[in-house]
């Protein structure tokens, strides 16, 4: 006969462990029961019926709190944080109803251009409306734990409890262990090159709620207004969107696992990554694997910025730091310091 007291004790322990592991998640959404399911695994490996957690007023209020704290410029509709805050309660109730009945549609994204650190080039930045940022934040709150659970531990960008310092420490440690050859890679226009169809295939591996999928696709194909001209993108996800970093990590996660399974030491921060190897031959093979994968998914390695480097002879830059001969110091090209 089963010892019921032991079963209850073990169940309680599992719940407590799950709660400790996921302290960063939004408690208004991720209950102990959901966290336990996340740890245990759901039937078929896919999550259904998530849209109700998006349009729940409590979720939208939490999302609004984050958007308000982050401040930011108005979107294409010119509605500022202060404007939206004047009628917060009615605005959120109306938004909740639109999400519930399926009439919500994202507004156009306002594109602006900002300088890249350490150079004269500019990179595009998409600014959604305040209301769209609220919905994207709520969407991120619901989806992030589902994908975070399976992300590679060698990925550090835009993830809970991980950051630039962790990525730099790992690279530094590998160099000191004798991984002197670096595949210094650069993805050309990554955020603007993400294939929507392939991205949605990755998203659908864990989420099967049709309304959630429609919401993500709506953000991907959302109209962009750039210097007075508007268009609908057929690929890419705008930098500046709250949900974009998560989608970018979902798209590159297969590469993380591919390299890990092949035995290569890759460290990735968003679209910036370096692969450290012990020999030149290993580095050449790693570059070949990455080149093959990027070609298959429609990405491009920058021909001038992607190279093999013997760290004992030459330097390479990663996340604002220059590595050479076992030493790390701020890169001359970077205006922003990470440590």
């Amino acid at each position: 006969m089963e010892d019921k007291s032991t079963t209850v004790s073990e169940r309680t322990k599992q719940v407590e462990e799950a709660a400790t592991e996921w302290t960063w998640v939004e408690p208004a959404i991720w209950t102990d029961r959901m966290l336990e399911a996340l740890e245990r695994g759901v039937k078929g490996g896919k999550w259904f019926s998530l849209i109700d957690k998006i349009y729940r007023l409590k979720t939208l209020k939490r999302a609004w709190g984050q958007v308000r704290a982050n401040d930011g410029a108005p979107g294409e509709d010119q509605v500022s944080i202060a404007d939206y805050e004047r009628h917060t309660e009615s605005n959120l109730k109306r938004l909740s109803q639109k999400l519930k009945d399926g009439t919500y549609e994202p507004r156009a994204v306002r594109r602006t251009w900002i300088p890249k650190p350490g150079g004269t080039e500019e990179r595009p930045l998409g600014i959604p409306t305040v209301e769209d940022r609220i919905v994207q934040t709520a969407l991120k709150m619901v989806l992030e734990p589902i994908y975070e659970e399976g992300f590679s531990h060698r990925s550090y960008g835009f993830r809970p409890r991980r950051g630039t310092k962790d990525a730099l420490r790992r690279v530094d440690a590998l160099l000191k262990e004798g991984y002197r050859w670096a595949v210094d890679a650069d993805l050309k226009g990554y955020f603007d090159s993400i294939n929507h169809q392939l991205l949605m295939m990755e998203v659908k591996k864990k989420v099967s709620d049709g309304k959630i999928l429609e919401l993500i696709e709506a953000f991907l194909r959302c109209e962009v207004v750039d210097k007075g001209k508007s268009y609908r993108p057929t690929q890419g996800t705008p930098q500046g969107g709250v949900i974009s970093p998560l989608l970018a990590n979902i798209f590159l996660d297969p590469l993380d696992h591919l390299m890990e399974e092949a035995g290569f030491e890759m460290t990735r921060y968003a679209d910036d990554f370096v692969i450290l190897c012990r020999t030149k031959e290993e580095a050449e093979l790693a570059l070949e694997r990455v080149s093959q994968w990027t070609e298959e998914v429609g990405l491009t390695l920058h021909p001038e910025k992607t190279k093999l480097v013997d760290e004992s002879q030459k330097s390479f830059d990663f996340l604002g730091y220059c590595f050479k001969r076992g030493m790390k110091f701020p890169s001359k090209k970077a205006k922003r310091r990470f440590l």
Side-chain angles (χ1 to χ4, degrees), residues 200-234:
M200 291 308 300
M201 286 175 62
E202 290 300 320
V203 172
K204 290 175 183 178
K205 288 180 179 179
K206 291 196 173 185
V207 171
S208 289
D209 186 319
K211 291 186 177 180
I212 292 288
L213 299 175
E214 288 174 4
L215 199 55
I216 296 173
E217 289 179 325
F219 282 122
L220 289 176
R221 62 173 184 267
C222 188
E223 181 183 7
V224 175
V225 177
D226 185 2
K227 299 177 181 177
K229 297 181 179 180
S230 64
Y231 65 94
R232 289 194 179 274
T234 57

Side-chain angles (χ1 to χ4, degrees), residues 258-277:
L258 174 68
M259 300 306 288
E260 186 173 353
E261 290 166 7
F264 296 116
E265 296 290 351
M266 184 171 85
T267 302
R268 182 174 67 81
Y269 189 98
D271 60 329
D272 197 354
F273 63 89
V274 62
I275 306 168
L276 295 178
C277 306

Side-chain angles (χ1 to χ4, degrees), residues 81-332:
I81 294 290
D83 293 333
Y84 200 88
E85 192 169 19
R86 291 189 184 98
H87 307 284
T88 304
E89 193 70 25
S90 60
N91 284 336
L92 293 180
K93 285 182 178 178
R94 185 176 62 253
L95 176 59
S96 174
Q97 187 60 46
K98 287 193 293 185
L99 287 165
K100 186 175 183 178
D101 60 28
T103 59
Y104 166 80
E105 290 185 11
R107 300 287 293 270
V109 171
R110 180 168 66 87
R111 171 163 281 192
T112 186
W113 294 81
I114 60 175
K116 284 187 175 182
T120 58
E121 295 182 29
E122 292 183 318
R123 67 180 179 90
L125 184 68
I127 304 177
T129 65
V130 172
E131 189 154 273
D132 289 340
R133 297 205 292 269
I134 293 171
V135 177
Q136 288 192 31
T137 301
L139 190 60
K140 180 174 178 285
M141 286 177 173
V142 171
L143 294 182
E144 189 169 35
I146 294 173
Y147 294 95
E148 180 66 28
E149 190 271 336
F151 279 162
S152 169
H153 66 283
R154 302 179 182 192
S155 162
Y156 296 88
F158 304 105
R159 294 183 59 189
R161 301 189 302 182
R162 286 172 164 257
T164 312
K165 291 181 181 180
D166 302 305
L168 290 170
R169 287 177 184 137
R170 183 169 190 272
V171 170
D172 193 44
L174 287 168
L175 289 170
K176 289 176 180 176
E177 290 177 18
Y179 290 82
R180 69 178 226 190
W181 279 93
V183 179
D184 185 11
D186 184 270
L187 288 172
K188 189 175 181 180
Y190 171 62
F191 281 88
D192 287 333
S193 304
I194 297 175
N195 183 293
H196 288 177
Q197 184 177 359
L198 294 179
L199 171 59
M200 291 308 300
M201 286 175 62
E202 290 300 320
V203 172
K204 290 175 183 178
K205 288 180 179 179
K206 291 196 173 185
V207 171
S208 289
D209 186 319
K211 291 186 177 180
I212 292 288
L213 299 175
E214 288 174 4
L215 199 55
I216 296 173
E217 289 179 325
F219 282 122
L220 289 176
R221 62 173 184 267
C222 188
E223 181 183 7
V224 175
V225 177
D226 185 2
K227 299 177 181 177
K229 297 181 179 180
S230 64
Y231 65 94
R232 289 194 179 274
T234 57
Q235 62 182 22
T237 176
Q239 294 187 67
V242 179
I243 198 67
S244 292
L246 175 60
L247 296 178
N249 274 331
I250 290 173
F251 193 79
L252 285 178
D253 185 59
L255 176 61
D256 295 335
H257 291 287
L258 174 68
M259 300 306 288
E260 186 173 353
E261 290 166 7
F264 296 116
E265 296 290 351
M266 184 171 85
T267 302
R268 182 174 67 81
Y269 189 98
D271 60 329
D272 197 354
F273 63 89
V274 62
I275 306 168
L276 295 178
C277 306
R278 293 188 182 275
T279 66
K280 182 179 180 181
E281 292 73 23
E282 184 183 350
E284 289 173 340
L285 181 58
L287 179 56
E288 182 181 331
R289 292 283 181 89
V290 170
S291 299
Q292 181 181 356
W293 186 86
T294 53
E295 184 177 352
E296 289 174 355
V297 299
L299 299 178
T300 304
L301 289 175
H302 200 297
E304 297 176 3
K305 297 181 181 180
T306 300
K307 55 188 180 296
L308 301 185
V309 177
D310 180 354
E311 187 265 348
S312 66
Q313 302 296 323
K314 297 182 179 181
S315 65
F316 69 89
D317 291 342
F318 184 59
L319 300 180
Y321 272 76
C322 180
F323 292 86
K324 185 177 181 181
R325 296 178 183 174
M327 299 184 67
K328 174 174 92 273
F329 45 91
S331 170
K332 294 180 180 179

